[in-house]
Coordinates of all heavy atoms in Angstrom, one line a residue:
M1 N 30.5 -39.6 -46.6 CA 30.8 -38.7 -45.4 C 29.5 -37.9 -45.2 O 28.7 -37.7 -46.1 CB 32.0 -37.8 -45.7 CG 33.3 -38.6 -45.7 SD 33.5 -39.5 -44.1 CE 35.1 -40.4 -44.4
A2 N 29.4 -37.4 -44.0 CA 28.1 -36.9 -43.6 C 28.0 -35.4 -43.6 O 28.7 -34.6 -42.9 CB 27.8 -37.4 -42.2
K3 N 27.1 -34.9 -44.4 CA 26.8 -33.5 -44.4 C 25.6 -33.3 -43.5 O 25.3 -32.2 -43.1 CB 26.4 -33.0 -45.8 CG 27.6 -32.8 -46.7 CD 27.2 -31.9 -47.9 CE 28.3 -31.7 -48.9 NZ 29.6 -32.0 -48.5
N4 N 24.9 -34.4 -43.2 CA 23.6 -34.3 -42.4 C 23.7 -35.0 -41.1 O 22.7 -35.3 -40.4 CB 22.5 -34.9 -43.2 CG 22.2 -34.1 -44.5 OD1 22.1 -32.9 -44.5 ND2 22.2 -34.8 -45.6
W5 N 25.0 -35.2 -40.6 CA 25.2 -35.8 -39.3 C 26.5 -35.3 -38.8 O 27.6 -35.5 -39.4 CB 25.2 -37.3 -39.4 CG 25.4 -38.0 -38.1 CD1 26.6 -38.3 -37.5 CD2 24.4 -38.5 -37.3 NE1 26.4 -39.0 -36.3 CE2 25.1 -39.1 -36.1 CE3 23.0 -38.5 -37.3 CZ2 24.4 -39.7 -35.1 CZ3 22.3 -39.1 -36.2 CH2 23.0 -39.7 -35.2
Y6 N 26.5 -34.6 -37.7 CA 27.7 -34.2 -37.0 C 27.4 -33.7 -35.6 O 26.3 -33.4 -35.3 CB 28.4 -33.1 -37.8 CG 27.6 -31.9 -38.2 CD1 27.4 -30.9 -37.3 CD2 27.0 -31.8 -39.5 CE1 26.6 -29.8 -37.6 CE2 26.2 -30.7 -39.8 CZ 26.0 -29.7 -38.9 OH 25.2 -28.6 -39.2
P7 N 28.5 -33.7 -34.8 CA 28.3 -33.4 -33.4 C 28.0 -31.9 -33.1 O 28.6 -31.1 -33.8 CB 29.6 -33.8 -32.7 CG 30.6 -33.8 -33.8 CD 29.9 -34.1 -35.1
M8 N 27.2 -31.7 -32.2 CA 26.9 -30.3 -31.7 C 27.2 -30.4 -30.2 O 26.7 -31.2 -29.4 CB 25.5 -29.9 -31.9 CG 25.0 -30.0 -33.4 SD 23.3 -29.4 -33.6 CE 22.4 -30.6 -32.6
I9 N 28.1 -29.5 -29.8 CA 28.6 -29.5 -28.4 C 27.8 -28.5 -27.6 O 27.7 -27.3 -28.0 CB 30.1 -29.1 -28.3 CG1 30.9 -29.9 -29.3 CG2 30.6 -29.3 -26.9 CD1 30.9 -31.4 -29.1
N10 N 27.3 -28.9 -26.5 CA 26.6 -28.0 -25.5 C 27.7 -27.5 -24.6 O 28.2 -28.1 -23.7 CB 25.6 -28.8 -24.7 CG 24.9 -27.9 -23.7 OD1 25.4 -26.8 -23.3 ND2 23.7 -28.2 -23.3
E11 N 28.1 -26.3 -24.9 CA 29.3 -25.7 -24.2 C 29.0 -25.4 -22.7 O 30.0 -25.4 -21.9 CB 29.7 -24.4 -24.9 CG 30.3 -24.6 -26.3 CD 30.9 -23.4 -26.9 OE1 31.1 -22.4 -26.2 OE2 31.3 -23.5 -28.1
E12 N 27.8 -25.3 -22.4 CA 27.5 -25.1 -20.9 C 27.7 -26.4 -20.1 O 28.1 -26.4 -19.0 CB 26.1 -24.6 -20.8 CG 26.0 -23.2 -21.1 CD 24.6 -22.6 -20.9 OE1 23.7 -23.2 -20.2 OE2 24.3 -21.6 -21.5
S13 N 27.4 -27.5 -20.8 CA 27.6 -28.8 -20.1 C 29.0 -29.3 -20.2 O 29.5 -30.0 -19.3 CB 26.7 -29.9 -20.7 OG 25.4 -29.4 -20.7
C14 N 29.7 -29.0 -21.3 CA 31.0 -29.6 -21.5 C 32.0 -29.2 -20.4 O 32.1 -28.1 -20.0 CB 31.5 -29.1 -22.9 SG 33.2 -29.5 -23.3
V15 N 32.8 -30.2 -20.0 CA 33.8 -30.0 -18.9 C 35.2 -30.0 -19.6 O 36.2 -30.0 -18.8 CB 33.7 -31.0 -17.8 CG1 32.4 -30.9 -17.1 CG2 33.9 -32.5 -18.3
E16 N 35.2 -30.0 -20.9 CA 36.5 -29.9 -21.6 C 37.5 -31.0 -21.2 O 38.7 -30.7 -21.1 CB 37.1 -28.5 -21.5 CG 36.2 -27.4 -22.0 CD 36.7 -26.0 -21.9 OE1 37.9 -25.8 -21.8 OE2 35.9 -25.1 -22.0
C17 N 37.0 -32.2 -21.1 CA 37.9 -33.3 -20.8 C 38.7 -33.8 -22.0 O 39.7 -34.4 -21.8 CB 37.0 -34.5 -20.3 SG 36.0 -35.3 -21.5
G18 N 38.3 -33.5 -23.2 CA 39.1 -33.8 -24.4 C 38.8 -35.2 -24.9 O 39.4 -35.6 -25.9
S19 N 37.9 -36.0 -24.3 CA 37.7 -37.4 -24.7 C 37.2 -37.4 -26.2 O 37.6 -38.3 -27.0 CB 36.7 -38.1 -23.8 OG 37.2 -38.2 -22.5
C20 N 36.3 -36.5 -26.5 CA 35.7 -36.6 -27.8 C 36.7 -36.2 -28.9 O 36.8 -36.8 -29.9 CB 34.5 -35.6 -27.9 SG 34.9 -33.9 -27.4
V21 N 37.6 -35.2 -28.6 CA 38.6 -34.8 -29.5 C 39.6 -35.9 -29.8 O 40.0 -36.2 -30.9 CB 39.3 -33.5 -28.9 CG1 40.4 -33.1 -29.9 CG2 38.3 -32.4 -28.7
E22 N 40.0 -36.6 -28.7 CA 40.9 -37.7 -28.7 C 40.4 -38.8 -29.5 O 41.0 -39.5 -30.3 CB 41.2 -38.1 -27.3 CG 42.6 -38.7 -27.0 CD 42.8 -38.9 -25.5 OE1 42.8 -38.0 -24.8 OE2 42.8 -40.1 -25.2
K23 N 39.1 -39.1 -29.3 CA 38.4 -40.3 -29.9 C 38.4 -40.2 -31.4 O 38.6 -41.2 -32.1 CB 37.0 -40.4 -29.3 CG 36.1 -41.3 -30.1 CD 36.4 -42.8 -29.9 CE 35.4 -43.6 -30.7 NZ 35.8 -45.1 -30.6
C24 N 38.0 -39.1 -31.9 CA 37.6 -39.0 -33.4 C 38.9 -39.0 -34.2 O 39.8 -38.2 -34.0 CB 36.8 -37.8 -33.7 SG 36.2 -37.8 -35.4
T25 N 38.9 -39.9 -35.2 CA 40.0 -39.9 -36.2 C 39.7 -39.4 -37.5 O 40.3 -39.7 -38.5 CB 40.5 -41.4 -36.3 OG1 39.4 -42.2 -36.7 CG2 41.1 -41.9 -35.0
H26 N 38.6 -38.7 -37.6 CA 38.1 -38.3 -38.9 C 38.2 -36.8 -39.2 O 37.6 -36.2 -40.1 CB 36.6 -38.7 -39.1 CG 36.5 -40.2 -39.0 ND1 36.7 -41.0 -40.1 CD2 36.1 -41.0 -38.0 CE1 36.5 -42.3 -39.8 NE2 36.2 -42.3 -38.5
G27 N 39.0 -36.1 -38.3 CA 39.3 -34.7 -38.6 C 38.1 -33.8 -38.2 O 38.2 -32.6 -38.6
V28 N 37.2 -34.3 -37.5 CA 36.0 -33.4 -37.2 C 36.3 -32.3 -36.2 O 35.9 -31.2 -36.3 CB 34.8 -34.3 -36.7 CG1 33.6 -33.4 -36.3 CG2 34.4 -35.3 -37.8
Y29 N 37.2 -32.7 -35.2 CA 37.5 -31.8 -34.2 C 38.9 -31.2 -34.4 O 39.8 -31.9 -35.0 CB 37.6 -32.5 -32.8 CG 36.2 -32.9 -32.3 CD1 35.9 -34.3 -32.4 CD2 35.3 -32.0 -31.8 CE1 34.6 -34.7 -31.9 CE2 34.0 -32.5 -31.4 CZ 33.7 -33.8 -31.4 OH 32.5 -34.3 -31.0
D30 N 39.1 -30.0 -34.0 CA 40.5 -29.4 -34.0 C 41.3 -30.1 -32.9 O 41.1 -30.0 -31.7 CB 40.3 -27.9 -33.6 CG 41.6 -27.2 -33.6 OD1 42.7 -27.8 -33.7 OD2 41.6 -26.0 -33.3
K31 N 42.3 -30.9 -33.4 CA 43.1 -31.7 -32.5 C 44.1 -30.9 -31.6 O 44.7 -31.4 -30.7 CB 43.9 -32.7 -33.3 CG 43.1 -33.8 -33.9 CD 42.8 -34.9 -32.9 CE 42.1 -36.1 -33.6 NZ 41.6 -37.1 -32.6
S32 N 44.2 -29.6 -31.9 CA 45.1 -28.8 -31.1 C 44.4 -28.2 -29.9 O 45.1 -27.5 -29.1 CB 45.7 -27.6 -32.0 OG 44.7 -26.7 -32.3
S33 N 43.2 -28.5 -29.7 CA 42.4 -28.0 -28.6 C 41.8 -29.1 -27.8 O 41.2 -30.0 -28.4 CB 41.3 -27.0 -29.1 OG 40.4 -26.7 -28.2
Q34 N 41.9 -29.0 -26.5 CA 41.2 -30.0 -25.6 C 39.7 -29.7 -25.6 O 38.8 -30.5 -25.5 CB 41.8 -30.0 -24.2 CG 41.1 -31.0 -23.3 CD 42.1 -31.5 -22.2 OE1 43.2 -31.8 -22.5 NE2 41.6 -31.6 -21.0
K35 N 39.4 -28.4 -25.7 CA 38.0 -28.0 -25.8 C 37.5 -28.3 -27.2 O 38.2 -28.1 -28.2 CB 37.9 -26.4 -25.6 CG 36.6 -25.9 -25.7 CD 36.6 -24.4 -25.6 CE 35.2 -23.8 -25.8 NZ 35.1 -22.4 -25.5
P36 N 36.4 -29.0 -27.3 CA 36.0 -29.5 -28.6 C 35.5 -28.3 -29.5 O 34.6 -27.6 -29.2 CB 34.8 -30.4 -28.3 CG 34.3 -30.0 -26.9 CD 35.5 -29.4 -26.2
I37 N 36.2 -28.2 -30.6 CA 35.9 -27.3 -31.6 C 35.7 -28.1 -32.9 O 36.6 -28.7 -33.4 CB 37.0 -26.2 -31.8 CG1 37.3 -25.5 -30.5 CG2 36.6 -25.2 -32.9 CD1 38.5 -24.6 -30.5
V38 N 34.5 -28.0 -33.4 CA 34.1 -28.8 -34.7 C 34.6 -28.0 -35.9 O 34.1 -26.8 -36.1 CB 32.6 -29.1 -34.7 CG1 32.2 -29.7 -36.0 CG2 32.2 -29.9 -33.5
I39 N 35.5 -28.6 -36.6 CA 36.1 -27.8 -37.8 C 35.8 -28.5 -39.1 O 36.0 -27.9 -40.2 CB 37.6 -27.6 -37.6 CG1 38.3 -29.0 -37.4 CG2 37.9 -26.7 -36.5 CD1 39.8 -28.9 -37.6
Y40 N 35.3 -29.7 -39.1 CA 35.1 -30.4 -40.4 C 33.9 -31.4 -40.3 O 34.1 -32.6 -40.1 CB 36.4 -31.2 -40.7 CG 36.4 -31.9 -42.0 CD1 36.0 -31.3 -43.2 CD2 36.8 -33.3 -42.1 CE1 36.0 -31.9 -44.4 CE2 36.8 -33.9 -43.3 CZ 36.4 -33.3 -44.5 OH 36.4 -34.0 -45.7
T41 N 32.8 -30.8 -40.4 CA 31.5 -31.6 -40.2 C 31.4 -32.7 -41.3 O 30.9 -33.7 -41.0 CB 30.3 -30.7 -40.3 OG1 30.3 -29.9 -41.5 CG2 30.2 -29.7 -39.1
D42 N 32.0 -32.4 -42.5 CA 31.9 -33.4 -43.6 C 32.6 -34.7 -43.2 O 32.4 -35.8 -43.8 CB 32.4 -32.9 -44.9 CG 31.5 -31.9 -45.5 OD1 30.4 -31.6 -44.9 OD2 31.8 -31.5 -46.7
G43 N 33.6 -34.6 -42.3 CA 34.3 -35.8 -41.9 C 33.6 -36.8 -41.1 O 34.0 -38.0 -40.9
C44 N 32.6 -36.3 -40.4 CA 31.8 -37.2 -39.5 C 31.1 -38.3 -40.2 O 30.6 -38.1 -41.3 CB 30.8 -36.3 -38.7 SG 30.0 -37.1 -37.3
V45 N 31.1 -39.4 -39.6 CA 30.5 -40.7 -40.1 C 29.1 -40.7 -39.8 O 28.7 -40.7 -38.6 CB 31.3 -41.9 -39.6 CG1 30.7 -43.2 -40.2 CG2 32.8 -41.8 -40.0
D46 N 28.3 -40.9 -40.8 CA 26.8 -40.9 -40.6 C 26.4 -41.9 -39.6 O 26.7 -43.1 -39.7 CB 26.2 -41.2 -42.0 CG 24.7 -40.7 -42.0 OD1 24.3 -39.9 -41.2 OD2 24.0 -41.2 -43.0
G47 N 25.7 -41.5 -38.6 CA 25.2 -42.4 -37.6 C 26.1 -42.7 -36.4 O 25.8 -43.4 -35.5
C48 N 27.4 -42.3 -36.6 CA 28.4 -42.6 -35.5 C 28.0 -41.8 -34.2 O 27.6 -40.7 -34.3 CB 29.8 -42.1 -36.0 SG 31.1 -42.4 -34.8
H49 N 28.2 -42.5 -33.1 CA 28.0 -41.9 -31.8 C 29.2 -42.1 -30.9 O 29.2 -42.0 -29.7 CB 26.8 -42.6 -31.0 CG 25.5 -42.3 -31.5 ND1 24.9 -42.9 -32.6 CD2 24.6 -41.4 -31.0 CE1 23.6 -42.4 -32.7 NE2 23.4 -41.4 -31.8
G50 N 30.4 -42.3 -31.6 CA 31.6 -42.6 -30.9 C 32.0 -41.6 -29.9 O 32.3 -41.9 -28.7
C51 N 32.0 -40.3 -30.2 CA 32.4 -39.3 -29.3 C 31.3 -39.1 -28.2 O 31.6 -39.0 -27.0 CB 32.7 -38.0 -30.0 SG 31.5 -37.4 -31.1
G52 N 30.1 -39.1 -28.6 CA 29.0 -38.8 -27.7 C 28.9 -39.9 -26.6 O 28.6 -39.6 -25.4
N53 N 29.2 -41.2 -27.0 CA 29.2 -42.3 -26.1 C 30.2 -42.1 -25.0 O 30.1 -42.7 -23.9 CB 29.4 -43.6 -26.8 CG 28.1 -44.0 -27.6 OD1 27.1 -43.5 -27.3 ND2 28.3 -44.9 -28.5
L54 N 31.3 -41.4 -25.3 CA 32.4 -41.2 -24.3 C 32.2 -40.0 -23.4 O 32.9 -39.9 -22.4 CB 33.7 -41.0 -25.1 CG 34.4 -42.3 -25.7 CD1 35.6 -41.8 -26.4 CD2 34.7 -43.3 -24.6
C55 N 31.3 -39.2 -23.8 CA 31.2 -37.9 -23.1 C 30.6 -38.1 -21.7 O 29.5 -38.6 -21.5 CB 30.3 -36.9 -23.9 SG 30.1 -35.3 -23.0
P56 N 31.4 -37.7 -20.6 CA 30.9 -37.9 -19.3 C 29.9 -36.8 -18.9 O 29.2 -37.0 -17.8 CB 32.2 -37.6 -18.4 CG 33.0 -36.7 -19.3 CD 32.7 -37.1 -20.7
A57 N 29.7 -35.8 -19.7 CA 28.8 -34.7 -19.3 C 27.5 -34.7 -20.2 O 26.7 -33.8 -20.0 CB 29.5 -33.4 -19.5
D58 N 27.4 -35.7 -21.0 CA 26.2 -35.8 -21.9 C 26.1 -34.5 -22.7 O 25.0 -34.0 -22.8 CB 25.0 -36.1 -21.1 CG 23.9 -36.8 -21.9 OD1 24.2 -37.3 -23.0 OD2 22.7 -36.7 -21.5
A59 N 27.2 -34.0 -23.2 CA 27.2 -32.6 -23.8 C 27.1 -32.7 -25.3 O 27.2 -31.7 -26.0 CB 28.4 -31.9 -23.3
I60 N 27.1 -33.9 -25.9 CA 27.1 -34.0 -27.3 C 25.8 -34.6 -27.9 O 25.3 -35.6 -27.5 CB 28.3 -35.0 -27.8 CG1 29.6 -34.4 -27.3 CG2 28.3 -35.1 -29.3 CD1 30.8 -35.3 -27.6
Q61 N 25.2 -33.8 -28.7 CA 24.1 -34.2 -29.5 C 24.5 -34.2 -31.0 O 25.5 -33.6 -31.3 CB 22.9 -33.3 -29.3 CG 22.3 -33.4 -27.9 CD 21.0 -32.7 -27.7 OE1 20.8 -31.6 -28.2 NE2 20.1 -33.3 -27.0
Y62 N 23.7 -34.8 -31.8 CA 24.0 -34.8 -33.2 C 23.0 -34.1 -34.1 O 21.8 -34.4 -34.0 CB 24.2 -36.3 -33.7 CG 25.4 -36.9 -33.0 CD1 25.2 -37.7 -31.8 CD2 26.7 -36.8 -33.4 CE1 26.2 -38.2 -31.1 CE2 27.7 -37.3 -32.8 CZ 27.5 -38.0 -31.6 OH 28.6 -38.5 -30.9
Y63 N 23.6 -33.3 -34.9 CA 22.7 -32.7 -36.0 C 22.3 -33.9 -36.9 O 23.1 -34.7 -37.3 CB 23.5 -31.7 -36.8 CG 22.7 -31.1 -37.9 CD1 21.9 -30.0 -37.7 CD2 22.8 -31.7 -39.2 CE1 21.2 -29.5 -38.8 CE2 22.0 -31.2 -40.2 CZ 21.2 -30.1 -40.0 OH 20.5 -29.6 -41.0
G64 N 21.0 -34.0 -37.1 CA 20.5 -35.1 -38.0 C 20.0 -36.3 -37.2 O 19.4 -37.2 -37.7
D65 N 20.2 -36.2 -35.8 CA 19.6 -37.3 -35.0 C 18.2 -37.1 -34.8 O 17.7 -36.1 -34.2 CB 20.4 -37.3 -33.7 CG 20.1 -38.5 -32.8 OD1 19.2 -39.3 -33.1 OD2 20.9 -38.8 -31.8
T66 N 17.4 -38.1 -35.2 CA 15.9 -37.9 -35.1 C 15.4 -38.3 -33.7 O 14.3 -38.1 -33.3 CB 15.2 -38.8 -36.1 OG1 15.7 -40.1 -36.0 CG2 15.4 -38.3 -37.5
N67 N 16.4 -38.8 -32.8 CA 16.0 -39.2 -31.5 C 16.1 -38.0 -30.4 O 16.0 -38.3 -29.3 CB 16.8 -40.4 -31.0 CG 16.5 -41.6 -31.8 OD1 15.3 -41.9 -32.1 ND2 17.5 -42.3 -32.2
I68 N 16.5 -36.9 -30.9 CA 16.6 -35.8 -29.9 C 15.5 -34.7 -30.1 O 14.8 -34.8 -31.1 CB 18.0 -35.0 -30.0 CG1 18.2 -34.5 -31.4 CG2 19.1 -36.0 -29.6 CD1 19.5 -33.6 -31.5
Ligands
SF4_1 S1 30.4 -39.0 -34.3 FE1 32.1 -40.4 -34.8 S2 33.0 -39.5 -36.7 FE2 31.6 -38.0 -35.8 S3 32.9 -36.6 -34.6 FE3 32.1 -38.2 -33.2 S4 33.7 -39.9 -33.2 FE4 34.0 -38.5 -35.0
SF4_2 S1 33.7 -35.6 -24.2 FE1 32.0 -34.2 -23.6 S2 32.8 -33.1 -21.7 FE2 34.6 -34.1 -22.8 S3 35.4 -32.4 -24.1 FE3 33.9 -33.7 -25.3 S4 31.9 -32.6 -25.1 FE4 33.2 -31.8 -23.5

């Protein structure tokens, strides 16, 4: 599990569609909120872009991503 890879949400770009929260099955986001709140960074899978790929607002970057 990843201590050096997890999503960072740009709250100004986010339109709170909930896609990222819905997508992730690793407990990274608080499932009780449509607005993405990262609660468990250790659950994130190293190198995964699953939530970011779904984001319509390009509001997700990853801590640890060398391409940003
Ligand atoms: S990158 Fe993958 S594991 Fe990490 S929060 Fe997004 S969907 Fe979940
Ligand atoms: S998918 Fe993008 S726009 Fe939708 S809630 Fe997540 S960060 Fe916000």
